Amino acid sequence: MKLNIEGLLVYFPYDYIYPEQYSYMLELKRTLDAKGHGVLEMPSGTGKTISLLSLIVAYQRAFPLDVTKLIYCSRTVPEIEKVVEELRKLMEFYAKETGERNNFLALALSSRKNLCIHPEVSSLRFGKEVDGKCHSLTASYIRAQRHVNPNQPVCRFYEEFDAVGRQVPLPAGIYNLDDLKDFGRRKGWCPYYLARYAILHANIVVYSYHYLLDPKIADLVSKELAKKSVVVFDEAHNIDNVCIDSMSVNITRRTLDRCQNNVDTLQNTIQKIKETDAAKLREEYRRLVEGLKEANVARETDIYLSNPVLPDEILKEAVPGTIRTAEHFVGFLRRFLEYLKSRLRVHHVVQESAPQFLKDIFDKVCIDRKPLRFCAERLQSLLRTLEIADIADFSAVTLISNFATLVSTYSQGFTIIIEPFEDRTPTIANPVLHFSCMDPSIAIKPVFQRFQSVIITSGTLSPLDIYPRILDFRPVTMASFTMTLARTCLCPLIVGRGNDQVALSSKFETREDFAVIRNYGNLLLEMSAVVPDGIVAFFTSYVYMENIVASWYEQGILENIQRNKLIFIETQDAAETSMALEKYQEACENGRGAILLSVARGKVSEGIDFVHHFGRAVIMFGVPYVYTQSRILKARLEYLRDQFQIRENDFLTFDAMRHAAQCVGRAIRGKTDYGLMIFADKRYARADKRGKLPRWIQEHINDGSLNLTVDETVQLSKHFLRQMAQPFRQEDQLGLSLLTLEQLESEEMLQKITQIAHQT
Amino acid sequence: MDEEPERAKRWEGGYERTWEVLKEDESGSLKATVEEILYQSKRKRVIESHGQVRLGMMRHLFVVIDCSRSMEDQDLKPNRLTSTLKLMEAFIDGYFDQNPISQVGIITTKNKRAEKLTDLAGNPKKHIAMLKKAVDTVCVGEPSLYNSLKLAIQTLKHMPGHTSREILIILSSLTTCDPANIYEMTKTLKSLNVRVSIIGLSAEVRVCTVLTRETGGSYHVILDESHFKELLMLHVKPPPTSSSSECSLIRMGFPQHTIGSLADQDAKPAFSMSHLDSSSGPSLGGYFCPQCHSNYTELPVECKVCGLTLVSAPHLARSFHHLFPLDAFIESPVEEHQRNGFCQACQGELKDKSIFTCPSCRSVFCVECDLFIHDSLHCCPSCIHSQTAS
């Protein structure tokens, strides 16, 4: 289908289009026209990805000078693959319609683990191992040694790529991870380095958030991407947490012990080298005097452990004298380490800001701010000089040096919290130093500054205005789109009371209340009798789930439920959970029916879709507030209040509701799908909670379904499920929620479409 | 939004919030809309006819009735089981009325097992009697689709290839307890050309969707009791056969009914073969098999002695009409029709909004007669009339 979006010719690879897709493209085009940033919320399953791709590709073709590149960030490898497949469909459509092969290059990039084709290296199981092994085969000094010693093993794929690969550009086309691997095998080139090299001139790059947000990786991979790029963050409802995680450092006693070993190793190696090849160290010293600028020009494979965001001026400066020689630096590290150890020997919680920490370290062990800032750079230089091949072992000392650099670079937006024990186990000493980032805008700021348009999009971004505030940017468009439906295929119900009129709530005071637990059990039992196939139930936390399930077991509720459906439970163990998930799906498939008990914010609630029969109902037991006693959270809330004028309660509710929306949104993955969304907590009925749900859910909650009893819920569910089971064909959707080109172009429809987008 | 909580209260089921549809006309009267609703409900069952399609006229149908715990649910009155059995009686009647040379058998499933209530047979009375008895069954445990299907297949696979093999499942439960993989069973069913249709009483279950899609049957879920009846009655009409089913000639006997009187010397009292087990005594008259002269009191029946299918000509004729369905009459508003205001069939005045015109003889009928003609008569009376007249 060829569309005309405000004068832009857009090729859309399907015969039908949803009205909201059209509306979405309109808003997107306006954002691109304005060369600004945008926040767009559109329900999952309404074809967000293809709308984005079609419009941006069309835009790239129409204005090749304005938009040179699309950087599409997604969260998981399967999602990345899905995007590439959509893109392939789009390109095939282009080829068919225009009849010419366009020279479009699009590729996916992932970690070495997913791209390596070296027989030995790729057989390793963990990403870290693969990275380390790869580095030991491809580092520049290893390859230099090969000239001397031909027995030195190197990676032949990398050698081949290095010899020829750079001169020959990757042929135009669409490459997902497997395509890259195939191409690599055919040519004998390393797919990982090929991809990393190719993203510089590719039209579309699809990769993970971290390549852009995590400063350690971003510096390496995304440094040279053109300014005139459009960056899209898909499924971006958690983007603030990703930003924060990428900047935070946690140090435990174990880290320090491992770090101690690292330092010892360094010391020994230095000693050895001094005896054999003192010139090398002198050479390094000379280089450091000249400044880091030159060190930065080292070859790409060496920049393996890159620095966190360093202000540019540091690179121009010379490394301070106190840490210039290798021995001094190791000594410096030792002192720093001892200091950290002494800090971890605390009996009560300590919270301080970065300047306080710096002052204390200066007072106690006379470490200045300046050498700390260079710590990360200096360590890398040393590791390079010492030619340590197996770099994976040095993660602990790298972490510490990164921490040193961060703490001395940023005085704002970070906090240091030292806890002598975990909250769950107050008797066991397990000291942790949290260097916690409180301001997500620090990590994402370079992205907003650098690129022309950044689009943040997801199925659940409500309330929209909070994202620009916490990420500190000014969007030109903020819009939320509803789902046009030919039949009401989602049924949100808020259950506020049990049959005995006990108010249902997971709030702290009634958390242990026997009556509430029993009524929750009753709700699940009754629902298990009326909902076919799969039910997914979410609890607010693992602890809460364990309590409730144990209590249900004692009351015999579990046994009764099992007469209707099988029960599976998500645990913190990933292998166990994926096993449970597999069995759950099998039970849904063969008619036995199953219930999956899982946890909001867990693995299931984020990444796994329950299409059609795998999730006919989602029950959300309680409001998934984050654990509010955590000091990190408290510090962050305080920071939000002081810096961004966001009240604690607003943020907590926002955070709880976005997770609740994520959970219930798992059930509906398209317009032919249908599902019940049951919010089992009376607090959902309050306007401040309800108002923070995405609009496409909110508009289906009517006043009648705000405070239901279990019985009423069952009756409504029964009715809804029967309605939905009636035959539903594509023709029923046509003209309402699915449009042909002619229908789209009618005046009346265009009128309607303007109402879909809800500007804030 | 059409999801009002009030709507699903059980005492309101079937009413479909009629008050919202009601609108007052200019004079403030509701009469017009009420009539409209009644009229619509009458028209609902207009059957779209297939035309020139091969139909499975000789049907072998197993009805599987779920007797699991969930059948005690009271959303159908007085409970699901009683309501189902009641409707089944009507179904059996209708089935034999429309498919006189077909057979039906009933299977119940509960407690993970399946049992045969009645074997495949062509006698509605026996089935209905068994259904009446079954009202008292205790509903326990879970149903087993696999076991029921297996039981049905055991009989169906021996049925000749020219007959249609069907299974109709009335499933109330949302789970099934199967001893083996049901998808293997689906393959078997497919290879045997067995068509499985399901009527769900509660909600859409994935395994049923797959089962019916694979075997070419239909899957419906009821909304309320009247919808249930409607769905059940859809299965009364013979389904189109798949092209793979074979054709063959069938021997049939057309026995004459003889009325023996005691005065007739030739008359010998004989036991009806089909009622040997029952207590009824010997009778003088009845239908005598043209091949072996065994006595039967009613038709159609398969002769127990020589295996000949015994039918009467009207039976065959009744089955026949499915092959040549009567064309749907053309509906038009009454205003367009000026000639005379009387229905050709009942001679009543045409009071409804629409009239129906037979496409071949252009006669005009009212709604009631249109329904009667299409549901029961299967031929246009005025066409027949003109044929005999000429």
PDB file of all heavy atoms in Angstrom, chain A residues 44-55:
ATOM      1  N   SER A  44       0.628  -2.263  22.379  1.00  0.00           N
ATOM      2  CA  SER A  44       1.357  -3.350  21.745  1.00  0.00           C
ATOM      3  C   SER A  44       0.414  -4.107  20.814  1.00  0.00           C
ATOM      4  O   SER A  44      -0.784  -4.149  21.027  1.00  0.00           O
ATOM      5  CB  SER A  44       1.902  -4.282  22.810  1.00  0.00           C
ATOM      6  OG  SER A  44       0.905  -4.521  23.769  1.00  0.00           O
ATOM      7  N   GLY A  45       0.997  -4.686  19.782  1.00  0.00           N
ATOM      8  CA  GLY A  45       0.203  -5.475  18.855  1.00  0.00           C
ATOM      9  C   GLY A  45      -0.522  -4.653  17.816  1.00  0.00           C
ATOM     10  O   GLY A  45      -1.366  -5.151  17.090  1.00  0.00           O
ATOM     11  N   THR A  46      -0.227  -3.364  17.721  1.00  0.00           N
ATOM     12  CA  THR A  46      -0.882  -2.580  16.688  1.00  0.00           C
ATOM     13  C   THR A  46       0.119  -2.173  15.606  1.00  0.00           C
ATOM     14  O   THR A  46      -0.131  -1.249  14.851  1.00  0.00           O
ATOM     15  CB  THR A  46      -1.518  -1.317  17.288  1.00  0.00           C
ATOM     16  OG1 THR A  46      -0.565  -0.686  18.128  1.00  0.00           O
ATOM     17  CG2 THR A  46      -2.732  -1.640  18.090  1.00  0.00           C
ATOM     18  N   GLY A  47       1.220  -2.879  15.557  1.00  0.00           N
ATOM     19  CA  GLY A  47       2.147  -2.651  14.455  1.00  0.00           C
ATOM     20  C   GLY A  47       2.963  -1.388  14.579  1.00  0.00           C
ATOM     21  O   GLY A  47       3.059  -0.601  13.644  1.00  0.00           O
ATOM     22  N   LYS A  48       3.538  -1.192  15.769  1.00  0.00           N
ATOM     23  CA  LYS A  48       4.369  -0.034  15.995  1.00  0.00           C
ATOM     24  C   LYS A  48       5.627  -0.097  15.145  1.00  0.00           C
ATOM     25  O   LYS A  48       5.989   0.854  14.468  1.00  0.00           O
ATOM     26  CB  LYS A  48       4.759  -0.050  17.468  1.00  0.00           C
ATOM     27  CG  LYS A  48       4.805   1.282  18.105  1.00  0.00           C
ATOM     28  CD  LYS A  48       4.950   1.151  19.609  1.00  0.00           C
ATOM     29  CE  LYS A  48       5.411  -0.186  20.086  1.00  0.00           C
ATOM     30  NZ  LYS A  48       4.786  -0.686  21.272  1.00  0.00           N
ATOM     31  N   THR A  49       6.268  -1.259  15.201  1.00  0.00           N
ATOM     32  CA  THR A  49       7.560  -1.410  14.547  1.00  0.00           C
ATOM     33  C   THR A  49       7.480  -1.110  13.062  1.00  0.00           C
ATOM     34  O   THR A  49       8.282  -0.334  12.535  1.00  0.00           O
ATOM     35  CB  THR A  49       8.064  -2.850  14.763  1.00  0.00           C
ATOM     36  OG1 THR A  49       7.998  -3.145  16.130  1.00  0.00           O
ATOM     37  CG2 THR A  49       9.468  -3.001  14.268  1.00  0.00           C
ATOM     38  N   ILE A  50       6.492  -1.691  12.402  1.00  0.00           N
ATOM     39  CA  ILE A  50       6.447  -1.528  10.951  1.00  0.00           C
ATOM     40  C   ILE A  50       6.100  -0.087  10.583  1.00  0.00           C
ATOM     41  O   ILE A  50       6.599   0.457   9.595  1.00  0.00           O
ATOM     42  CB  ILE A  50       5.481  -2.550  10.299  1.00  0.00           C
ATOM     43  CG1 ILE A  50       5.630  -2.557   8.794  1.00  0.00           C
ATOM     44  CG2 ILE A  50       4.042  -2.293  10.679  1.00  0.00           C
ATOM     45  CD1 ILE A  50       6.980  -3.011   8.310  1.00  0.00           C
ATOM     46  N   SER A  51       5.273   0.561  11.415  1.00  0.00           N
ATOM     47  CA  SER A  51       4.950   1.960  11.131  1.00  0.00           C
ATOM     48  C   SER A  51       6.196   2.813  11.233  1.00  0.00           C
ATOM     49  O   SER A  51       6.457   3.669  10.383  1.00  0.00           O
ATOM     50  CB  SER A  51       3.913   2.497  12.120  1.00  0.00           C
ATOM     51  OG  SER A  51       2.954   1.549  12.402  1.00  0.00           O
ATOM     52  N   LEU A  52       6.964   2.573  12.278  1.00  0.00           N
ATOM     53  CA  LEU A  52       8.213   3.317  12.467  1.00  0.00           C
ATOM     54  C   LEU A  52       9.138   3.125  11.279  1.00  0.00           C
ATOM     55  O   LEU A  52       9.641   4.090  10.694  1.00  0.00           O
ATOM     56  CB  LEU A  52       8.928   2.763  13.706  1.00  0.00           C
ATOM     57  CG  LEU A  52       8.715   3.434  15.035  1.00  0.00           C
ATOM     58  CD1 LEU A  52       9.293   2.583  16.133  1.00  0.00           C
ATOM     59  CD2 LEU A  52       9.385   4.779  15.033  1.00  0.00           C
ATOM     60  N   LEU A  53       9.342   1.855  10.935  1.00  0.00           N
ATOM     61  CA  LEU A  53      10.289   1.545   9.876  1.00  0.00           C
ATOM     62  C   LEU A  53       9.832   2.139   8.549  1.00  0.00           C
ATOM     63  O   LEU A  53      10.614   2.796   7.851  1.00  0.00           O
ATOM     64  CB  LEU A  53      10.467   0.033   9.758  1.00  0.00           C
ATOM     65  CG  LEU A  53      11.174  -0.644  10.932  1.00  0.00           C
ATOM     66  CD1 LEU A  53      11.159  -2.133  10.759  1.00  0.00           C
ATOM     67  CD2 LEU A  53      12.600  -0.146  11.047  1.00  0.00           C
ATOM     68  N   SER A  54       8.556   1.928   8.212  1.00  0.00           N
ATOM     69  CA  SER A  54       8.080   2.403   6.912  1.00  0.00           C
ATOM     70  C   SER A  54       8.281   3.899   6.795  1.00  0.00           C
ATOM     71  O   SER A  54       8.752   4.399   5.772  1.00  0.00           O
ATOM     72  CB  SER A  54       6.588   2.138   6.708  1.00  0.00           C
ATOM     73  OG  SER A  54       6.226   0.930   7.192  1.00  0.00           O
ATOM     74  N   LEU A  55       7.910   4.605   7.850  1.00  0.00           N
ATOM     75  CA  LEU A  55       7.981   6.062   7.739  1.00  0.00           C
ATOM     76  C   LEU A  55       9.420   6.538   7.683  1.00  0.00           C
ATOM     77  O   LEU A  55       9.770   7.369   6.852  1.00  0.00           O
ATOM     78  CB  LEU A  55       7.266   6.736   8.902  1.00  0.00           C
ATOM     79  CG  LEU A  55       7.205   8.224   8.590  1.00  0.00           C
ATOM     80  CD1 LEU A  55       5.861   8.594   8.065  1.00  0.00           C
ATOM     81  CD2 LEU A  55       7.640   9.092   9.694  1.00  0.00           C
TER      82      LEU A  55
END
